Amino acid sequence: LTIWVQDQIFGRFKKPQLPLSSLGLISTFVAFLLTLRSNHSLSRLDTARNLWSKVVLNTREMAQLITAFIYPVDKQLALMLGRHVALFGWLLKSQLRFSKKDDVVELVRVMLPNKKDADYVLSQHQKTSAVLIRIRQVLAHLGKQHRLTTAEEIALDHTVHALSDTITSTGRIRATPIPTLYTSHTSRLLVFYIFSLPPALHMSGLDGITTTLLTMVVGFAMFGLDEISHLFEQPFRVIPMYQISKRSMQAVADAFTCRPPALAGENREDEEDGLSQRELTTYWSNTDMAKVSDNLME
């Protein structure tokens, strides 16, 4: 009886022990939600990267088709379309990042010396769609004059459709972020877990220093994952769109300035007139264009 009374009295002064099983159950839900968010964000990033790689692919394909089919028929229209295609990457970058209008005005003015062409592109809400409309306008014009075959028109229009699909797909990612309720619920649960972790660790027998260090490590890891997920919700803020847009413009320029040599029996008007390929495409060596593109904001 005496021993029992002593245990009852002194037991009240013992440090209470709190098992971590309940908090560990909460940590399972937190880790599960963070994993889902990270996987979803990485999936959006991978999709956005694939779409931007198609920007370079499709603009290069379009430029090569223009030099193969339209350039021999009408050089002025071919160069005009080449300038529009070279602008496509920059305009899409500005559209996805909601850049200021002044960021691309100077580049459009330099790339499109014709004031009517520049004014038309700058006046449109979706400037990338204006580029595609201009290309289709030229295709319809040449088609009515029977200067393009049906196969050539189909090949060109198919590439235009691929560029249009890129606009739609990138816009869908930009306009549909991860639902706010899902993000806020994960953040609230994470904050609750981090605030509950120190007293649970301390009441389990750990000293103050160990509890503090362990809480800092766990908080750093989990809040870091949460921040990464927030960052990747809008992948176009992470992707190096400046470098890819510049590569797209260079690929279009190469299609016009690096044409293959003439085939046996092929007759080229530029060679008949004694003009070099560089003299026919002096537009692409414009130093102002290179200076403006290098000074664009990323």
Side-chain angles (χ1 to χ4, degrees):
L1 181 60
T2 304
I3 295 175
W4 179 83
V5 172
Q6 292 177 351
D7 291 339
Q8 293 295 322
I9 295 175
F10 292 103
R12 298 178 181 178
F13 300 97
K14 293 181 180 180
K15 180 187 294 185
Q17 301 293 323
L18 179 65
L20 292 175
S21 57
S22 301
L23 196 60
L25 184 62
I26 298 177
S27 66
T28 302
F29 288 105
V30 174
F32 179 72
L33 289 175
L34 287 177
T35 302
L36 285 179
R37 279 190 57 190
S38 299
N39 291 339
H40 194 184
S41 299
L42 290 174
S43 176
R44 290 168 61 89
L45 177 63
D46 184 64
T47 302
R49 290 175 58 187
N50 291 334
L51 290 174
W52 262 98
S53 65
K54 291 182 180 180
V55 170
V56 180
L57 171 64
N58 293 326
T59 52
R60 182 175 62 241
E61 288 289 324
M62 175 58 71
Q64 291 175 357
L65 290 174
I66 291 173
T67 57
F69 299 148
I70 300 180
Y71 191 81
V73 175
D74 192 320
K75 292 182 175 59
Q76 295 300 324
L77 285 180
L79 290 175
M80 186 266 288
L81 291 186
R83 296 165 186 170
H84 281 77
V85 174
L87 276 172
F88 184 84
W90 298 108
L91 297 178
L92 185 59
K93 167 183 173 291
S94 175
Q95 181 175 310
L96 293 174
R97 288 188 174 176
F98 293 122
S99 302
K100 296 180 180 179
K101 184 178 180 180
D102 297 338
D103 294 341
V104 294
V105 169
E106 186 178 1
L107 181 61
V108 172
R109 295 293 183 187
V110 173
M111 292 286 287
L112 302 178
N114 190 332
K115 187 176 183 299
K116 291 183 178 180
D117 290 338
D119 291 341
Y120 169 70
V121 172
L122 293 174
S123 64
Q124 300 301 308
H125 178 67
Q126 283 196 342
K127 299 177 179 56
T128 48
S129 297
V131 171
L132 303 186
I133 293 173
R134 193 63 165 164
I135 295 174
R136 283 199 163 104
Q137 181 187 20
V138 173
L139 295 181
H141 173 72
L142 295 177
K144 291 178 180 179
Q145 296 180 351
H146 303 288
R147 303 174 73 182
L148 291 177
T149 64
T150 303
E152 292 171 348
E153 289 187 48
I154 292 175
L156 288 164
D157 189 73
H158 178 75
T159 309
V160 174
H161 177 75
L163 291 172
S164 180
D165 182 70
T166 302
I167 298 174
T168 304
S169 300
T170 52
R172 183 184 67 247
I173 294 177
R174 180 66 180 84
T176 57
I178 296 177
T180 307
L181 180 61
Y182 178 61
T183 303
S184 60
H185 179 69
T186 304
S187 300
R188 286 194 297 264
L189 189 60
L190 178 59
V191 170
F192 172 77
Y193 174 76
I194 294 300
F195 273 97
S196 302
L197 185 60
L201 292 175
H202 184 67
M203 296 173 66
S204 297
L206 296 179
D207 57 80
I209 297 178
T210 305
T211 299
T212 303
L213 292 177
L214 188 58
T215 303
M216 290 176 61
V217 171
V218 174
F220 176 79
M222 288 193 169
F223 279 115
L225 290 175
D226 185 65
E227 183 64 25
I228 291 174
S229 300
H230 275 293
L231 184 64
F232 288 168
E233 284 182 13
Q234 294 295 344
F236 298 113
R237 299 177 182 175
V238 183
I239 296 176
M241 301 172 72
Y242 171 83
Q243 288 80 1
I244 298 177
S245 300
K246 190 173 182 179
R247 284 182 55 193
S248 173
M249 183 178 67
Q250 291 174 346
V252 174
D254 290 341
F256 284 88
T257 59
C258 303
R259 298 181 66 201
L263 299 173
E266 183 181 4
N267 187 15
R268 288 187 177 177
E269 295 181 3
D270 55 322
E271 295 180 351
E272 290 179 352
D273 297 337
L275 298 177
S276 66
Q277 180 62 35
R278 188 173 185 81
E279 289 173 334
L280 282 173
T281 54
T282 53
Y283 172 82
W284 300 109
S285 61
N286 191 330
T287 56
D288 292 335
M289 180 189 68
K291 184 184 299 184
V292 171
S293 64
D294 288 336
N295 292 335
L296 280 179
M297 295 175 58
E298 295 191 15

